[in-house]
Amino acid sequence: MAAKRLLDDSDQNSEQPNNKRMKTRPTFASVIQEVVAVKFLDSICSALEPMLRKVVNEEVENGLRRCSRSMTRSPSLRIQALEPSSLRLVFHSEPALPIFTGSKIAGEDGNPLKIFLVDTMGDVFVPTPLPYPLRVEIVVLDGDFPSRENERSWSADDFGTNIVKEREGKRPLLAGELSLTMRDGVATVGDLEFTDNSSWIRCRRFRLGARVVSGDQGVRISEAMTKPFMVKDHRGELYKKHYPPALDDDVWRLEKIGKDGIFHKRLAGQGIKTVQDFLKMSTVDINRLRKILGAGMSEKMWDATYKHASTCDMGNKLYLAQDPNYTLLLNPICQVVKAVIHGQVCPVRNISNYHKSYITDLVKYAYGSWSSLQEVDAAVNELPLLTQGDLVDQCSNHNQPQSIRGFQRNAFLTEGSDQAEYEFGSSGYQFY
């Protein structure tokens, strides 16, 4: 019996490993389930990986930024501190306006912009050259910076946070020579142009800024900035006004007269196509010119248009109108420079009403036959300005706005005892 039990136990022990192996052997269904689960986890990880990377990168950057600020604020951890100073960069002139995308930026005088290093100690800025060169960077700033509270003083951090970058998907906002070398306290700005307009920021205006790139100067040099300005798309350049206008510019180049607008069409319908045509008629018959423009042009609009036209450069040409009884010398806008009646220079101081009326009629006749007048070269712009004398009379155009006094040329007569001074204004002929 004992032997039988021992044999039975051995048989049971021999079967037990087989039973265990049968119980742990995976089935086909379990293998499929496991493969599906692995693939599902892989797809989830692949989907989450970009987001996790972004979150990690942002946290790392924030941590580094906080660490950098703490090092800047802590004197014990600061690597190099820039001592405050009265040195500042300044733009020598403002940019010429208007500014269009793709157009070269220049100064108001037409020359390249320049940046100077000055000492602001005291009431006068003093140019201050340094014995070593400085590297200067040109940037674009928000037009609302700085605030009124910090209009004269701001920190380097404030300046940096108000730098405007390009819109997403756009080219760099400012193209050209953005890094300059300043020697002897002066840096000249080279080719520079905007690639995008300013309409997409809140204030719709930019500033140009200049700052010294950190180096070995050891002191803080305040940044330079221009006044705020708008940047318009290049397509608007085709319709821009000219400052100053030229005599042969289309009349719609004047302020308040839009291309193909109602004023432009009215003037063109009367043969007034250029700035010179506009100014000639304003001299000869200003009432007719105002009537052509119509009631739609208010006094304020007229003042703006006329003042803009009055900045025109007349050049060096004079026009000669003559016959056996008279000789008139006129400037390009039909103002009298010299008058000789019956062989004698007109004595302007004691001129009779007859002569005034006669000269007015001669000017109107010359205006009507302008194409037949003889051109004479002369330095019209070098005629001296009259600084004294009271207005005695105006021959015509009494309704000229009294606020308009620009674009008048003075002439002087020097023949014998008839020497006299007179000024022919755009509103008529003003005798002294």
Side-chain angles (χ1 to χ4, degrees):
M1 292 295 291
K4 185 177 180 180
R5 285 196 299 271
L6 181 60
L7 179 62
D8 291 339
D9 292 338
S10 64
D11 291 339
Q12 291 177 1
N13 291 336
S14 64
E15 291 177 357
Q16 187 173 358
N18 293 332
N19 291 337
K20 288 183 179 179
R21 284 196 296 268
M22 291 180 65
K23 289 180 181 179
T24 59
R25 182 180 299 170
T27 64
F28 179 76
S30 65
V31 171
I32 296 299
Q33 289 177 353
E34 189 172 342
V35 170
V36 171
V38 170
K39 288 188 174 181
F40 178 71
L41 290 174
D42 287 343
S43 62
I44 290 179
C45 290
S46 299
L48 292 176
E49 182 179 3
M51 182 178 67
L52 293 174
R53 285 179 179 274
K54 183 178 180 181
V55 171
V56 172
N57 287 337
E58 289 179 353
E59 290 300 320
V60 171
E61 290 178 359
N62 290 336
L64 291 174
R65 194 177 295 113
R66 287 193 295 269
C67 180
S68 175
R69 281 199 295 264
S70 63
M71 290 179 65
T72 302
R73 292 169 183 168
S74 176
S76 61
L77 297 177
R78 188 176 303 160
I79 297 175
Q80 181 181 4
L82 295 181
E83 295 295 332
S85 74
S86 57
L87 297 179
R88 171 174 291 183
L89 299 179
V90 295
F91 282 94
H92 180 256
S93 66
E94 295 294 324
L97 302 179
I99 297 177
F100 293 91
T101 58
S103 296
K104 183 179 177 180
I105 301 172
E108 290 177 323
D109 55 1
N111 295 318
L113 290 171
K114 290 187 177 182
I115 302 170
F116 286 85
L117 177 65
V118 299
D119 190 342
T120 60
M121 186 73 69
D123 297 331
V124 180
F125 288 1
V126 180
T128 308
L130 296 178
Y132 49 85
L134 295 175
R135 192 154 61 92
V136 178
E137 180 187 18
I138 305 297
V139 297
V140 182
L141 298 171
D142 189 307
D144 278 346
F145 175 76
S147 62
R148 290 187 177 181
E149 293 78 10
N150 299 322
E151 192 171 11
R152 296 184 178 274
S153 177
W154 55 84
S155 68
D157 287 341
D158 290 338
F159 187 91
T161 55
N162 282 278
I163 293 177
V164 181
K165 297 295 184 180
E166 67 274 7
R167 287 190 278 182
E168 185 177 357
K170 294 281 189 177
R171 297 167 50 199
L173 184 56
L174 201 59
E177 191 177 350
L178 306 182
S179 183
L180 313 174
T181 300
M182 174 175 283
R183 290 186 174 88
D184 299 325
V186 181
T188 301
V189 180
D191 291 342
L192 207 61
E193 62 182 43
F194 282 95
T195 63
D196 198 1
N197 64 65
S198 59
S199 63
W200 53 276
I201 65 172
R202 187 178 63 84
C203 69
R204 305 175 66 86
R205 297 179 301 170
F206 291 145
R207 291 179 188 259
L208 281 180
R211 62 179 177 179
V212 174
V213 179
S214 297
D216 299 328
Q217 69 270 16
V219 296
R220 166 162 163 71
I221 299 177
S222 297
E223 301 79 7
M225 65 179 70
T226 66
K227 294 179 180 178
F229 53 80
M230 294 181 64
V231 177
K232 304 177 182 179
D233 280 324
H234 179 72
R235 60 178 178 268
E237 188 170 12
L238 299 175
Y239 303 95
K240 74 175 183 179
K241 309 302 182 183
H242 288 170
Y243 298 89
L247 286 172
D248 57 355
D249 275 348
D250 292 318
V251 71
W252 55 263
R253 296 286 187 183
L254 297 177
E255 290 185 9
K256 308 304 179 183
I257 300 178
K259 185 177 182 181
D260 297 326
I262 184 64
F263 297 140
H264 181 205
K265 291 179 179 179
R266 287 175 180 174
L267 292 170
Q270 297 296 320
I272 304 173
K273 299 180 179 180
T274 67
V275 174
Q276 185 178 14
D277 295 336
F278 179 91
L279 288 169
K280 284 194 300 182
M281 179 165 282
S282 71
T283 299
V284 175
D285 195 345
I286 196 171
N287 291 330
R288 182 186 171 200
L289 179 59
R290 295 295 302 272
K291 188 175 181 180
I292 292 172
L293 291 169
M297 175 163 278
S298 65
E299 288 294 328
K300 187 176 180 179
M301 294 172 65
W302 165 256
D303 284 355
T305 302
Y306 189 81
K307 287 179 180 178
H308 184 204
S310 298
T311 63
C312 182
D313 181 5
M314 291 198 298
N316 296 326
K317 288 184 178 179
L318 295 178
Y319 296 83
L320 191 62
Q322 61 183 344
D323 76 356
N325 296 322
Y326 70 88
T327 298
L328 289 182
L329 198 60
L330 306 172
N331 69 12
I333 64 169
C334 219
Q335 294 174 340
V336 178
V337 175
K338 187 174 183 180
V340 180
I341 308 298
H342 301 300
Q344 294 185 353
V345 176
C346 186
V348 184
R349 289 182 185 270
N350 300 315
I351 192 171
S352 65
N353 289 331
Y354 168 76
H355 277 147
K356 292 178 185 178
S357 178
Y358 183 50
I359 292 177
T360 301
D361 291 340
L362 292 179
V363 171
K364 290 182 178 180
Y365 179 77
Y367 172 78
S369 56
W370 190 263
S371 60
S372 64
L373 301 185
Q374 179 183 349
E375 288 187 5
V376 180
D377 288 332
V380 179
N381 291 325
E382 295 178 2
L383 293 175
L385 292 176
L386 193 64
T387 58
Q388 60 182 358
D390 298 321
L391 178 64
V392 176
D393 193 12
Q394 291 183 348
C395 291
S396 61
N397 305 327
H398 297 287
N399 293 326
Q400 167 69 14
Q402 293 300 312
S403 60
I404 306 296
R405 294 298 184 193
F407 208 77
Q408 295 177 342
R409 300 298 181 207
N410 303 292
F412 49 92
L413 310 178
T414 58
E415 293 191 13
S417 60
D418 289 330
Q419 180 175 353
E421 291 182 335
Y422 59 94
E423 179 177 4
F424 294 100
S426 55
S427 62
Y429 313 110
Q430 301 177 2
F431 296 90
Y432 296 87

